[in-house]
Amino acid sequence: MVIDPVARRVDGESVRIAKDVLCAAATTKICFPDDPAEFARVLARRGQRRPVVIGDDRALLRTVELLHKERELPRVTLSLVPVGMPSATALSRALGVPTDTVTAARAVLDGQERVLDLLADDSDGIVLGGLRIPGGDPAERPAQSARTAAEEPAVPAQRPWWAPAARTARAALSLLTAPVPGGGRRDGRALPRLRVEADGVVLADLDRPVHRVSVVPVGCTAPEGAAPCDGAAYPTQEHEGLAEVIVQWQATEAPVRVRARAVTVSGPDFRYRADAVIGGPVRTRTWTVQPAAWRLTLPRG
């Protein structure tokens, strides 16, 4: 059990509850890293133990990032008890992790492993829940890793619900593509002109400004007709290795939606928000779906 230092500072009571629930039902080794370097050392010394992270989205991203660099990510089943402000745990919620501390801790003990897709970019970065463009104010300092992530995640905390992983893509997509009230940019800046290609097919070009681009790994498919908030369970997972790509030119226009294995965005320097991390500015970036790339423990049914 790795307890993130930010979680201890923000909500020590929830950390204590999670620790008590887990220790009462299983043999655990508790680690209290004080900084990112110690966090990495603790994770590297896990041996055959299953890592359980108590913390917010940034702690989850840091863990996944470290395992990805070790090339151990596909073989390790992660568990998470989210602790933090709602805006700092929105990604966890969209992935299907309960936000209630006791429920999340019980899911660690009694839940089931879900195999999920992710996006990998051409700079070895990874995206779990989804990305959107534009992403962030130029005045903000771009984050180079999950350790320096911005406070606001890519999946805004707009809908207080959680669902099994089979509905992850639809959940993240609905949050990523929620229109900005009143249309246009919040800060009044001009919309970017971007070229967007999905598996080599041009969806948008530089001749027209783009209101928003979002890319979300599908992960697995839901039964025909199922909606994100349906109560039906999903006993099987079909990893298509595809991402849902949405391009919207104006807030009031119907967007273009396609599914693709690889997405390339290019144009004048642009920023993007991937999960809790602001990236860029870059002039071109390609994201490719990595099917069945990581494992997360989620509640049954």
Side-chain angles (χ1 to χ4, degrees):
M1 184 191 312
V2 183
I3 302 177
D4 187 67
V6 175
R8 302 202 303 267
R9 292 196 301 269
V10 170
D11 191 349
E13 179 63 14
S14 292
V15 170
R16 183 193 64 78
I17 292 172
K19 183 164 61 72
D20 289 349
V21 172
L22 294 172
C23 291
T27 302
T28 61
K29 179 178 180 180
I30 305 174
C31 303
F32 298 92
D34 290 324
D35 54 50
E38 189 175 354
F39 191 103
R41 287 194 297 271
V42 166
L43 194 63
R45 296 170 185 166
R46 67 188 180 279
Q48 299 301 313
R49 291 181 289 268
R50 176 164 59 103
V52 178
V53 178
I54 299 179
D56 60 12
D57 292 343
R58 290 173 293 173
L60 172 63
L61 290 168
R62 186 184 307 123
T63 304
V64 173
E65 182 183 80
L66 291 168
L67 292 172
H68 175 69
K69 289 179 178 178
E70 294 176 4
R71 299 299 182 255
E72 291 289 325
L73 184 58
R75 291 182 286 276
V76 177
T77 301
L78 291 173
S79 296
L80 174 70
V81 178
V83 174
M85 300 295 291
S87 61
T89 57
L91 171 62
S92 305
R93 181 168 58 255
L95 289 170
V97 182
T99 54
D100 175 73
T101 302
V102 173
T103 306
R106 288 175 178 165
V108 171
L109 299 168
D110 305 323
Q112 67 184 93
E113 174 188 292
R114 300 276 184 164
V115 183
L116 304 173
D117 300 350
L118 57 74
L119 298 171
D121 67 32
D122 45 14
S123 66
D124 206 32
I126 56 176
V127 183
L128 304 182
L131 65 93
R132 73 166 183 240
I133 306 169
D137 190 308
E140 296 182 65
R141 183 178 180 179
Q144 300 302 318
S145 72
R147 289 190 297 273
T148 55
E151 288 292 340
E152 181 189 351
V155 185
Q158 295 182 21
R159 299 178 63 187
W161 61 273
W162 66 271
R167 287 163 278 179
T168 295
R170 294 187 181 184
L173 192 58
S174 65
L175 296 172
L176 281 167
T177 58
V180 176
R185 294 294 299 274
R186 296 179 189 274
D187 51 22
R189 295 196 309 273
L191 297 173
R193 295 177 180 267
L194 300 170
R195 181 181 175 92
V196 182
E197 301 173 67
D199 288 343
V201 177
V202 177
L203 304 181
D205 215 332
L206 301 174
D207 58 345
R208 188 179 180 190
V210 174
H211 173 72
R212 180 167 303 198
V213 178
S214 68
V215 184
V216 177
V218 173
C220 40
T221 58
E224 185 67 27
C229 292
D230 285 352
Y234 298 88
T236 60
Q237 294 172 279
E238 300 175 16
H239 289 272
E240 300 179 276
L242 297 174
E244 187 89 11
V245 185
I246 292 184
V247 179
Q248 189 172 23
W249 284 272
Q250 297 293 333
T252 56
E253 274 189 66
V256 172
R257 298 171 182 261
V258 301
R259 288 189 175 186
R261 300 185 185 281
V263 179
T264 299
V265 180
S266 56
D269 291 350
F270 64 91
R271 283 181 165 82
Y272 57 90
R273 188 180 294 272
D275 295 327
V277 179
I278 295 177
V282 295
R283 294 190 174 181
T284 184
R285 181 122 294 169
T286 297
W287 291 271
T288 304
V289 179
Q290 303 295 319
W294 68 296
R295 303 168 187 271
L296 182 65
T297 303
L298 294 171
R300 296 182 182 274

